[in-house]
Amino acid sequence: MGFAERILTAIFNVSRYHAWLVLLVALAITGAAVYYIQELPVRSSFIDLLPQDDELIDEYLHHEEYLAQTDYLALLVELTKPGALSSVDEREGILLTAAEKIANLLRTEPEFSEVDYLSQPSANIPEQYLLLYTLDSERLKRIEESVSLAESSISNGELSLLPEENLRDAYSQVGKAFESVSNSSTLQNQGLKSIEKIRGGLGDMITLNKSVLAALAGVTKLPEVTSAVQGLTEIFISTDQATQRKPQGYFSGDRTMLLMNVQPRLPAQQGVDYCTKVMEALNSRLEGLDLEELGVTVAAAGPYAYSAETNAVINTDMYRTTIISSIGVFVIFLFAFGSFFYSIIAVIPLLISLALTLGWVKFVMGGFNLITSFLPALVLGLGIDYGIHFISRYAEERKRGSPLNPALKVATLYKGKASAAAAITTALVFLSLLFSRSRGLFEMGAIASVGVIISFISTLILLPALITLAHFVFRFRHREMILGHSTYLFPFFRFVVGKGRTIFSIVIILTFFVSFQAAHITFQFSSSDLVPHTESEDTLARIMDNFGGAKNMTIGQYFTFFANEQELGTVVAHLQENKFVRGVQSARDLLPPNLSEQQKTLSELNIESYIKQLSLLDEGLSKRQELLSQLRLMLPQFSFLQYGATLNGMEEIAIDSNRIQTQLQLLQHELGSLDLEGAQGRISALQSALRELDQNLGEVQNLPPIEALLQDIVAELPEGIRARYLTPDNEYIIYARVSNELYNEDNLDKFISYAKTFSDKYFGMILVGKRLQDYLHRDFWLSTILALVLIAISLRRSVGKWTQALLAGAPLILGYIWMLGGMKLLEVEFNFINIVISPLLIGIGVDDGIHLLHRYLEERKREVDGAIERGGALTAAALIVTSLTTMLAFGSLLLARTPGLQCLGISALLGIGFTLIFSLLFLPAALHVTKGKRL
């Protein structure tokens, strides 16, 4: 008798002949474990999954901690029927009334130290700026247009080219200048230098005429300019702005939402329990209000809400998957074996092993993380396998007429050996995860490896004891009908063996083609795969859209830059110029559009000069008759000049002289038809508006740049929004959304080199993603290769020969390839969580091949002929049930709210399902094909 047989015999003797002692010890240990795990935390942060002792990861954690120093609970109060309220005052009134009632109620809660929903403008913000922050987008657009119109009229308009003297005097001087060169003989006697001077004078005359014509035409537009100037005057007028300094609600632009800020007594870093306590206190207080009657709804966001919701979702997912697995395992067992007794007997060791595994989790890891939270369901799915195979073999022996003792001993020895090989192999695979850099994978390996062994040992020790007690103490007699299914499976395996070579060839050929599809599976990192989606995230997104400035900045990869007041504009400008940047968000987005540029433009306007030009135009119009007389005198001059230039071959001078005559005639017509009284009235009105604006802009020109006031503006924001734009150290935060092209070739290095030219304080999640991707690729290949090596060694020691080990592992290899092909077809890529399916499938999937091969070898010892059919038929029912229970455990993950766990469920269902198919189809065919060879 070998070492394994001696150990298994000893276990049988203890369990069979000391059943009460075994059960009492198991219950005592289980009771202690249940008491110990009453408080079993689940760490909901994906930070717990990241690799440890890595410089880049440490930097990321530092940034996360740096940005999370501010704790807040934001409440979004929203009108339920905003469309029924057309008046802004009505909307504000309902929101303020509701907010006041909510605030009064929350202030009675000891857990909240402060509740506010009103903003008091900072005393550092000048009065001239206050109005700008109460303007809606439509009014701001009109202001921008007014600034543009005033700037174009004053700095670049028609009057800017008029002479700084009376128009009549200007034309009189021109007439005198050309009087001496208005005949052909004079032109003929001019030197080259004088000719050039004449050409220059003609050009100036043409420009003067164009300016005067444009000014006359622009007189009709002066009321529009006057209106724009008066509008700007009203904005920048220095009056008593006391009403604007009154506290105002944090309203959204359309006045359908109001933001409340609640400050809990302790920071969110107190932990999940405290965050949950805060949210329970909030909800209990809100239940005391009839929000529907108030006409509002309330949603929460912030670290407290996110932490509590994430923890609740993960706990719910864990309990749901565990409950579904427990009930499902029992139902499948009951349906498959038709025995309520055996279902109860099988579940008892399973529940004990689950309690012990949870105790191990708390003792070693302190609790679950996002990945390991599904392991209780996995332990149930895997642990039941050993009970199914044990009871199946025990029932088989009883059906043959064996008494209790021999039946239990055969089941313990034969199935104990096969199950031990399967358990050790699976545990070794999970142990390979201990070499992973990722803490999430490391913890999974440490928990699952021990959980598998606990499940195996619990089943092997407790089942004989429970069956013994049921048989002798409770006088339970049960006719074993568990093998009824095997009779239906013999025809199937006879068919498989009969078509063995055909099936073998078809599977190999199809797998060859599927492997091409499987080879294109890729890895994609996204932090959103690691955490469940919560309502607080949606609420926060709506808050940022309606209160936080820039829109549509919630999707994509980001780089975060930090800058002081002087660096902010430069960093933003450089980022906006880069081709890899798809959007930039910073505190500057909180300012009215182009306010800084408008302020600069208004400050640089030379209004005094424009007023003088208007005065000269007005004076020229007031002497219209004298000006018309001067123009009539000048027409013959330029006519003679054209005639003389033509005779002397001076083509350019002739053309310019003709053009000037046309302009003078047009000027005569425009001046003659002009409504003089109306034009002078428009000029006078614009002059008055300009003088008033010039007086008020004197104060604006002395105001600090708007960027200098930005910190005061941000400081008045609700804490949740302020923390997004300003660090506790008063550094501005700039978010640059970058394209996925950074993952291609050396684009990331190019972007980093560019960023270094204007900033030395930046960080990008894409850097973490790249590093994690490298780690996970390493962990994937390392754990997979280690798992394969360990399985190969374990199989070799278990079945005795390498050829047999290869056959036992063949369904797993085929199932793995087909799983990858299925994932590609369903567009499910590897991510941070479902990448663990590789060692998982290797550890779980190999069990089917081990049990079937062990039974085949056992049957062959009895009789070679029909050994494959008998071994397959007698084992298939157990294989199907064990695979279904494991698939049920993973299938429950499809109900999880964490995207990565859903992907893991899909991958596992594909892998385990295909492995089962190939265990029942390909392995018997392969055994038939190779039976003539030495096995």
Side-chain angles (χ1 to χ4, degrees):
M1 184 181 294
F3 176 75
E5 287 78 4
R6 290 197 300 271
I7 294 295
L8 293 171
T9 300
I11 291 175
F12 164 74
N13 290 330
V14 172
S15 300
R16 166 64 186 83
Y17 299 109
H18 303 280
W20 275 115
L21 179 61
V22 169
L23 183 59
L24 291 175
V25 171
L27 291 176
I29 296 175
T30 304
V34 170
Y35 177 79
Y36 179 62
I37 62 173
Q38 284 183 342
E39 293 183 2
L40 186 63
V42 179
R43 304 189 302 278
S44 57
S45 173
F46 84 93
I47 292 176
D48 294 314
L49 308 179
L50 301 181
Q52 307 296 304
D53 303 323
D54 179 89
E55 181 179 348
L56 185 62
I57 303 300
D58 290 342
E59 185 179 354
Y60 165 70
L61 297 178
H62 171 72
H63 278 82
E64 284 293 295
E65 181 181 355
Y66 188 71
L67 295 176
Q69 291 183 30
T70 305
D71 292 294
Y72 64 96
L73 182 60
L75 300 184
L76 182 63
V77 183
E78 184 174 7
L79 295 173
T80 54
K81 297 179 181 179
L85 305 170
S86 57
S87 168
V88 171
D89 291 337
E90 280 185 285
R91 295 179 180 180
E92 290 185 356
I94 292 176
L95 288 172
L96 289 172
T97 300
E100 180 62 23
K101 291 185 177 180
I102 294 172
N104 288 337
L105 201 61
L106 295 183
R107 285 168 183 146
T108 62
E109 170 58 50
E111 210 55 57
F112 300 136
S113 60
E114 183 180 349
V115 181
D116 68 82
Y117 57 93
L118 298 174
S119 168
Q120 176 68 49
S122 171
N124 296 327
I125 302 177
E127 295 174 352
Q128 288 83 355
Y129 281 141
L130 286 179
L131 181 62
L132 294 174
Y133 304 104
T134 64
L135 301 177
D136 55 29
S137 58
E138 184 178 347
R139 183 69 189 279
L140 286 170
K141 183 179 180 181
R142 290 201 300 268
I143 292 174
E144 185 176 1
E145 292 171 350
S146 297
V147 172
S148 177
L149 180 59
E151 193 275 337
S152 62
S153 299
I154 296 174
S155 301
N156 305 309
E158 296 83 0
L159 299 182
S160 61
L161 298 177
L162 290 178
E164 296 183 2
E165 58 184 322
N166 185 278
L167 289 178
R168 186 188 66 78
D169 295 339
Y171 278 107
S172 176
Q173 293 176 13
V174 172
K176 292 179 181 179
F178 282 94
E179 186 176 2
S180 60
V181 292
S182 58
N183 58 70
S184 59
S185 59
T186 305
L187 278 176
Q188 189 175 10
N189 297 327
Q190 297 292 327
L192 181 62
K193 187 174 182 180
S194 297
I195 294 297
E196 291 299 324
K197 185 177 180 181
I198 292 172
R199 289 175 179 170
L202 291 173
D204 293 340
M205 182 63 177
I206 291 172
T207 301
L208 173 62
N209 291 336
K210 288 174 63 178
S211 301
V212 175
L213 286 169
L216 292 175
V219 169
T220 58
K221 302 178 183 178
L222 291 183
E224 183 179 354
V225 179
T226 302
S227 177
V229 170
Q230 289 173 339
L232 293 174
T233 300
E234 292 174 3
I235 293 175
F236 291 100
I237 191 170
S238 178
T239 59
D240 181 14
Q241 304 283 350
T243 57
Q244 294 180 22
R245 290 203 183 273
K246 289 183 178 179
Q248 303 289 326
Y250 295 119
F251 294 108
S252 61
D254 58 3
R255 296 307 194 262
T256 62
M257 305 176 192
L258 181 141
L259 192 61
M260 299 183 67
N261 194 67
V262 180
Q263 187 68 54
R265 184 173 52 86
L266 299 174
Q269 283 78 11
Q270 286 291 116
V272 172
D273 290 340
Y274 181 71
C275 293
T276 302
K277 180 180 179 181
V278 167
M279 294 306 298
E280 289 175 350
L282 172 68
N283 293 327
S284 66
R285 294 294 177 179
L286 291 179
E287 287 175 358
L289 287 175
D290 189 346
L291 295 177
E292 185 176 352
E293 183 181 348
L294 292 175
V296 298
T297 60
V298 179
Y304 298 91
Y306 179 77
S307 180
E309 286 184 16
T310 302
N311 182 69
V313 168
I314 293 174
N315 275 300
T316 301
D317 285 348
M318 184 176 69
Y319 292 134
R320 182 191 294 121
T321 55
T322 303
I323 292 171
I324 291 175
S325 298
S326 302
I327 297 174
V329 163
F330 182 82
V331 171
I332 290 175
F333 203 104
L334 184 62
F335 176 78
F337 297 106
S339 170
F340 186 80
F341 165 68
Y342 285 127
S343 300
I344 295 295
I345 289 294
V347 166
I348 291 175
L350 191 62
L351 296 178
I352 289 175
S353 63
L354 178 60
L356 296 178
T357 302
L358 295 179
W360 168 255
V361 170
K362 183 174 182 179
F363 178 72
V364 176
M365 301 300 172
F368 290 107
N369 60 44
L370 285 168
I371 292 181
T372 59
S373 61
F374 82 97
L375 288 184
L378 180 62
V379 169
L380 289 171
L382 292 177
I384 194 64
D385 293 2
Y386 311 119
I388 290 172
H389 286 292
F390 185 96
I391 294 174
S392 176
R393 187 55 187 272
Y394 166 75
E396 180 185 339
E397 295 300 319
R398 292 286 281 171
K399 186 176 182 181
R400 288 176 177 171
S402 297
L404 176 67
N405 284 359
L408 281 177
K409 188 169 185 179
V410 169
T412 303
L413 291 178
Y414 284 96
K415 281 305 171 183
K417 188 175 181 181
S419 295
I424 292 172
T425 302
T426 305
L428 287 175
V429 170
F430 284 123
L431 283 174
S432 68
L433 295 176
L434 297 180
F435 294 94
S436 301
R437 286 297 305 272
S438 165
R439 183 167 180 81
L441 298 185
F442 175 87
E443 290 187 11
M444 182 177 184
I447 294 171
S449 59
V450 175
V452 167
I453 298 300
I454 290 176
S455 297
F456 166 68
I457 295 175
S458 298
T459 300
L460 190 63
I461 295 177
L462 283 170
L463 274 183
L466 291 170
I467 293 174
T468 297
L469 291 174
H471 187 85
F472 288 107
V473 177
F474 303 107
R475 302 297 177 183
F476 183 85
R477 296 294 184 268
H478 181 76
R479 182 174 177 82
E480 284 77 11
M481 298 183 300
I482 193 169
L483 296 180
H485 303 287
S486 62
T487 57
Y488 302 105
L489 295 171
F490 273 105
F492 170 77
F493 282 99
R494 278 197 296 268
F495 170 79
V496 171
V497 172
K499 302 292 184 181
R501 293 186 182 277
T502 302
I503 293 174
F504 183 90
S505 301
I506 291 175
V507 170
I508 294 298
I509 292 171
L510 291 177
T511 303
F512 175 77
F513 289 105
V514 171
S515 62
F516 286 99
Q517 184 81 357
H520 291 87
I521 199 76
T522 59
F523 174 83
Q524 293 180 348
F525 171 80
S526 174
S527 59
S528 62
D529 289 331
L530 305 177
V531 291
H533 188 77
T534 62
E535 294 181 5
S536 64
E537 289 181 278
D538 295 332
T539 302
L540 181 60
R542 298 184 63 207
I543 289 174
M544 295 311 301
D545 281 346
N546 290 279
F547 298 87
K551 304 290 196 312
N552 301 321
M553 289 291 292
T554 57
I555 301 176
Q557 295 283 357
Y558 283 85
F559 265 83
T560 306
F561 289 77
F562 300 88
N564 58 33
E565 179 181 305
Q566 291 74 29
E567 299 168 339
L568 177 60
T570 302
V571 173
V572 170
H574 278 89
L575 289 173
Q576 290 173 337
E577 294 173 359
N578 190 268
K579 65 178 182 179
F580 296 120
V581 177
R582 295 291 178 265
V584 180
Q585 184 182 29
S586 71
R588 290 168 63 93
D589 299 322
L590 302 172
L591 300 175
N594 301 324
L595 178 60
S596 180
E597 291 78 2
Q598 294 170 16
Q599 178 194 358
K600 182 180 179 182
T601 298
L602 288 170
S603 299
E604 293 177 351
L605 290 179
N606 192 346
I607 296 178
E608 184 179 350
S609 175
Y610 191 59
I611 293 174
K612 181 179 179 181
Q613 289 171 335
L614 284 171
S615 299
L616 291 172
L617 177 61
D618 182 59
E619 184 182 352
L621 293 179
S622 65
K623 299 179 179 180
R624 178 170 57 176
Q625 294 303 323
E626 296 179 17
L627 180 57
L628 286 171
S629 298
Q630 181 62 43
L631 295 177
R632 285 194 294 270
L633 290 174
M634 294 177 68
L635 275 171
Q637 284 184 292
F638 288 99
S639 177
F640 286 128
L641 181 60
Q642 177 186 355
Y643 177 73
T646 302
L647 290 180
N648 290 280
M650 300 177 182
E651 184 177 354
E652 291 183 12
I653 293 178
I655 293 173
D656 287 346
S657 299
N658 179 260
R659 185 178 179 184
I660 289 173
Q661 293 174 68
T662 302
Q663 288 178 327
L664 292 175
Q665 290 171 352
L666 185 59
L667 276 172
Q668 285 181 303
H669 176 269
E670 292 294 330
L671 282 170
S673 61
L674 181 68
D675 178 8
L676 185 61
E677 184 177 351
Q680 289 181 318
R682 297 187 192 102
I683 293 173
S684 176
L686 180 56
Q687 285 179 312
S688 299
L690 286 170
R691 290 190 182 96
E692 188 173 1
L693 176 62
D694 191 38
Q695 178 181 354
N696 290 301
L697 283 184
E699 298 182 17
V700 175
Q701 291 168 345
N702 296 325
L703 290 176
I706 192 64
E707 284 81 359
L709 303 173
L710 188 55
Q711 197 167 112
D712 293 309
I713 296 170
V714 174
E716 299 305 315
L717 294 171
E719 189 169 5
I721 298 178
R722 179 172 69 246
R724 183 168 178 82
Y725 296 110
L726 198 66
T727 71
D729 295 335
N730 291 327
E731 281 194 310
Y732 291 105
I733 308 170
I734 305 110
Y735 303 90
R737 180 165 57 88
V738 295
S739 68
N740 291 329
E741 296 176 15
L742 283 187
Y743 282 109
N744 301 333
E745 299 176 350
D746 58 345
N747 289 342
L748 181 58
D749 294 333
K750 291 179 181 178
F751 182 78
I752 294 299
S753 298
Y754 176 75
K756 289 180 178 178
T757 62
F758 59 86
S759 176
D760 57 356
K761 295 181 180 179
Y762 59 85
F763 189 80
M765 190 60 191
I766 192 172
L767 297 173
V768 177
K770 197 83 171 177
R771 183 66 60 85
L772 287 177
Q773 182 173 326
D774 294 339
Y775 281 148
L776 287 175
H777 278 152
R778 168 196 174 276
D779 292 347
F780 172 81
W781 288 109
L782 179 61
S783 61
T784 301
I785 292 172
L786 279 174
L788 290 173
V789 171
L790 292 172
I791 279 183
I793 295 173
S794 178
L795 286 176
R796 169 64 177 81
R797 292 180 61 84
S798 174
V799 297
K801 296 180 181 179
W802 283 112
T803 52
Q804 294 173 352
L806 179 61
L807 284 175
L812 167 64
I813 297 172
L814 294 172
Y816 191 87
I817 294 173
W818 281 69
M819 178 197 71
L820 296 179
M823 289 174 60
K824 190 63 181 177
L825 182 65
L826 297 176
E827 298 182 351
V828 177
E829 305 290 350
F830 277 128
N831 57 46
F832 195 93
I833 294 181
N834 76 337
I835 199 171
V836 303
I837 191 57
S838 180
L840 271 177
L841 181 59
I842 293 173
I844 297 170
V846 76
D847 290 4
D848 292 348
I850 290 176
H851 284 286
L852 197 149
L853 185 63
H854 267 267
R855 188 54 187 264
Y856 162 71
L857 294 175
E858 182 184 338
E859 292 297 324
R860 195 176 70 167
K861 289 180 181 179
R862 296 176 181 175
E863 185 181 351
V864 175
D865 292 338
I868 299 176
E869 293 88 333
R870 293 194 308 276
L874 293 171
T875 313
L879 293 182
I880 293 172
V881 174
T882 55
S883 295
L884 287 178
T885 54
T886 306
M887 291 174 69
L888 176 66
F890 281 104
S892 64
L893 295 180
L894 298 180
L895 301 177
R897 290 176 58 180
T898 303
L901 289 180
Q902 295 175 1
C903 293
L904 176 59
I906 294 173
S907 302
L909 288 177
L910 290 171
I912 297 171
F914 281 124
T915 300
L916 173 62
I917 291 172
F918 291 122
S919 296
L920 300 178
L921 193 66
F922 179 79
L923 182 54
L927 288 172
H928 173 72
V929 171
T930 59
K931 68 179 181 180
K933 300 180 180 180
R934 187 180 179 185
L935 287 178

